[in-house]
Amino acid sequence: MLIIGERINGMFKNVRAAIAEENKEVIVDLAHRQVAAGAHVLDVNVGPASDEPAQAMVWLVETVQEAVDVPLAIDSAKLDVFEPALARCKVPPFINSTTGAQDKLDFFLPLAQKYDASIIALTIDEQGVPSTTEGRSEIAMRILVAAMEHGVPVEHLYIDPITLPVKAVQDQCPRLLQALGQFRQLSDPPPHTVIGLSNVSQRAQEKHLLDRIFLVMCMAHGLDSVILDPLDKELMDSLITAELLLDKQLYCDAYLEAYRR
Ligand code: THG
């Protein structure tokens, strides 16, 4: 399971303040703690409130790279944020994210190719988020074909079926699970799959329980990468246990400890 740490995101108040004040300490601490807790990749997002997002992202990228040497996932809704940030990454990064819309694919796939980046692709297109599983698979297939045409290998492609809050759209949860299964049938080898796990529990009271259970359900449907809070120890214990029960780790009584070592 590829673990992408979500905590360096301007959506969090302390991170938003740290970016505004260029306070490196908060960012460096979050980078160290997430990697120590098991993150393989760190997502970096300046948040929707930044007025100079491209500049803020460059600062974040440089600050995080002073602390840790894991790959970064450049996470932004604004196109002009990407190239300056990607150009400063010391190890091949992740682009988070393109969609299946043609103009986005035309913009992001050449960038992924140029920077040897992995790319997360949301199954959304000009018409928005499809409500059916088949709609998600169709867009995923279009993304897969476009990636091949641009010389982006399938190993670098992470399809994201888009996780919506259970509180708002409950029926999307089983559809997402179904979509994860279908994405594995698209090619051989199949593209990776990824979700932003915490989306499912947004504004819900039982946030941690929802995150844990949904993660395990997704893993059972083939999810092989996830954006989550690695500082949530019970969540990480659930992830490690699910890997064990899916026969991805060798059993021993002290498997939690063994995994962390
Ligand atoms: N897919 C992809 N990238 C993504 C997402 C996705 N990036 C952003 C997001 N979704 C994943 N990251 C987060 C980070 C925080 C939260 C959710 C997803 C979150 N924060 C709490 C909240 O809003 O309730 C707490 C905020 C706070 O404490 O201030 O839930 O789906 N590819």
Side-chain angles (χ1 to χ4, degrees), residues 4-14 16 43 45 73 75-76 95-98 120-122 158-164 194-204 207 211 227-229:
I4 306 174
E6 75 175 13
R7 290 298 304 275
I8 303 179
N9 189 317
M11 218 195 298
F12 297 102
K13 237 194 197 154
N14 63 332
R16 183 158 63 239
D43 193 72
N45 184 324
D75 185 357
S76 180
I95 291 170
N96 188 9
S97 50
T98 183
I120 297 174
L122 306 172
Y158 290 72
I159 304 287
D160 182 336
I162 306 177
T163 307
L164 298 168
V194 66
I195 63 165
L197 180 66
S198 312
N199 296 12
V200 81
S201 61
Q202 262 171 354
R203 293 179 299 280
K207 181 168 179 53
D211 285 351
I227 305 170
L228 53 61
D229 179 4

Side-chain angles (χ1 to χ4, degrees), residues 6 62 88 95 97 151 153 198 200 214 232-233 242 244 251 253:
E6 75 175 13
E62 290 181 335
R88 282 168 176 85
I95 291 170
S97 50
S198 312
V200 81
F214 196 54
D232 180 340
K233 180 165 182 300
L244 183 84
Y251 181 82
D253 280 338

